Amino acid sequence: MEFELIERIRAHCSLVRADVLLGIGDDAALLAPPAGHELAVSTDTLVDGVHFPHGAAPRDIGWKSLAVNLSDLAAMGATPAWALLNLTLPQADADFVDQFAAGFAELAGQHHLALVGGDTTGGPLAIGVTVLGFVPAGRALRRVGASVGDGVFVTGTLGDAVAGLYCTQARTAPFSNLGDALRAPLLERMRRPTPRVAAGIALRSQASACIDVSDGLLADLGHIARRSGVGIEVDAPLLPASPALLRACDEATRIALQASGGDDYELAFCASPAHEAAILRDLSRSGCGATRIGRVVAGAGVRLLDAQREEIVLTRAGWEHFA
Ligand code: ADP
Ligand code: MG
């Protein structure tokens, strides 16, 4: 039965790459990384009911389990190449595996990524994905590297994914009562995040530090600040929002979601002002665009500022009506 499931996955994920000398079917894969490059390797596990809602569409789970991993490669400026898939399934459900693999393969195909192995076991539903990619030697983007005077930027828009999550929950007004025209784009961002792979590659020679926004903008910028030994100021009025989010809620709610909501999988990065014009041009070509949202300062920690440069403190209480 396990063999049959693996065959199903293999049938969906059939992309061929010359650098896969031996893929699924032996005791280990044999891979040939290109000369002059480093391997970027990352792994992330998604657990049913924790990282996706219980009962989520298997196709979306397949997509998202790869997307969150590709986002980590994007944040390093790596070009994705290979993946491993560890599936833990409550039962040998061929239909689930077909749908899951179709969603996984859809995103893998967009990035010319080959599935080269994995493991299939029984237990509560969980998906572990490992991705491998290439980066020219010494050119990876890291959390360390931001310096005082750099601008702080983010790709795309922030806040949609957590707003999408609230759309699926009760007692999360206004999100639980939105009409379909606003709900649909927010839900899509939660179910099918877009890893900013092309943006990460474009930033390789231009950003001083980079991270993907998975836990929330302020929390993730906090990692850059700590690792780089600097402080970061974020201007709340500059945070980029989608048209749907702008219409869905009031400004204070929106800023709280944009600054603290996770799961957007945009890239947050720092860069010297000398690179700003080229970055904004390159990222608008890469499709997602980028916005300058703040600056790197001396000191420590991340501060969110309003238009008068007063600090906005996001208290737990500010979230209570969503709880
Ligand atoms: P072994 O017992 O030697 O670990 P398995 O039966 O677990 O072998 O796996 C056989 C082959 O199928 C291996 O190449 C393995 O990498 C691949 N494989 C197993 N599960 C998956 C999966 N969920 N996705 C992709 N490849 C898988
Ligand atoms: Mg095995």
Side-chain angles (χ1 to χ4, degrees):
M1 194 55 186
E2 182 194 320
F3 177 75
E4 193 208 308
L5 294 179
I6 297 170
E7 280 309 307
R8 281 178 187 275
I9 294 167
R10 202 226 288 256
H12 282 281
C13 303
S14 56
L15 190 137
V16 174
R17 289 178 60 110
D19 54 15
V20 180
L21 310 180
L22 189 56
I24 293 172
D26 213 306
D27 289 313
L30 295 174
L31 307 170
H37 289 69
E38 290 160 2
L39 270 184
V41 183
S42 185
T43 193
D44 253 321
T45 303
L46 277 70
V47 175
D48 185 17
V50 179
H51 301 100
F52 53 87
H54 183 69
R59 245 189 129 96
D60 291 338
I61 302 171
W63 172 288
K64 189 165 182 175
S65 66
L66 180 56
V68 303
N69 277 279
L70 289 180
S71 178
D72 285 319
L73 288 188
M76 301 297 290
T79 304
W82 309 311
L84 295 146
L85 170 61
N86 287 12
L87 265 185
T88 306
L89 300 170
Q91 61 255 333
D93 181 343
D95 208 43
F96 178 95
V97 167
D98 269 335
Q99 299 286 322
F100 174 92
F104 187 99
E106 189 181 342
L107 182 58
Q110 289 182 12
H111 296 281
H112 197 60
L113 177 112
L115 182 66
V116 300
D119 197 22
T120 307
T121 52
L125 178 61
I127 300 107
V129 175
T130 302
V131 285
L132 300 97
F134 313 138
V135 67
R139 301 263 310 280
L141 299 170
R142 301 181 51 186
R143 295 176 180 187
V144 56
S147 38
V148 175
D150 283 354
V152 178
F153 302 81
V154 69
T155 60
T157 61
L158 293 169
D160 284 3
V162 67
L165 176 67
Y166 291 141
C167 288
T168 67
Q169 297 174 344
R171 301 192 311 280
T172 52
F175 299 103
S176 37
N177 317 320
L178 288 184
D180 274 350
L182 294 184
R183 257 172 84 88
L186 299 175
L187 284 174
E188 183 72 5
R189 287 289 307 270
M190 174 192 67
R191 291 176 179 153
R192 293 198 164 216
T194 305
R196 300 303 189 189
V197 172
I201 293 168
L203 286 171
R204 217 137 66 179
S205 37
Q206 316 196 73
S208 55
C210 185
I211 193 167
D212 66 321
V213 180
S214 54
D215 295 337
L217 178 72
L218 300 185
D220 289 317
L221 285 176
H223 294 303
I224 289 185
R226 204 169 313 113
R227 296 290 303 278
S228 298
V230 296
I232 288 176
E233 291 178 351
V234 173
D235 297 321
L238 299 182
L239 294 175
S242 71
L245 188 64
L246 282 169
R247 287 177 52 202
C249 60
D250 62 67
E251 188 186 13
T253 302
R254 172 170 62 74
I255 286 170
L257 298 190
Q258 294 187 282
S260 305
D263 260 14
D264 285 316
Y265 300 100
E266 299 292 352
L267 297 181
F269 58 94
C270 304
S272 103
H275 287 141
E276 176 166 347
I279 285 175
L280 297 181
R281 185 198 61 218
D282 291 353
L283 293 199
S284 92
R285 280 191 197 140
S286 89
C288 59
T291 308
R292 183 168 48 74
I293 57 168
R295 65 203 71 80
V296 178
V297 296
V302 181
R303 300 197 319 139
L304 182 65
L305 306 178
D306 67 15
Q308 284 72 47
R309 298 183 57 83
E310 300 282 342
E311 183 164 6
I312 302 173
V313 179
L314 299 171
T315 57
R316 175 78 201 132
W319 289 86
E320 231 117 71
H321 62 295
F322 294 120

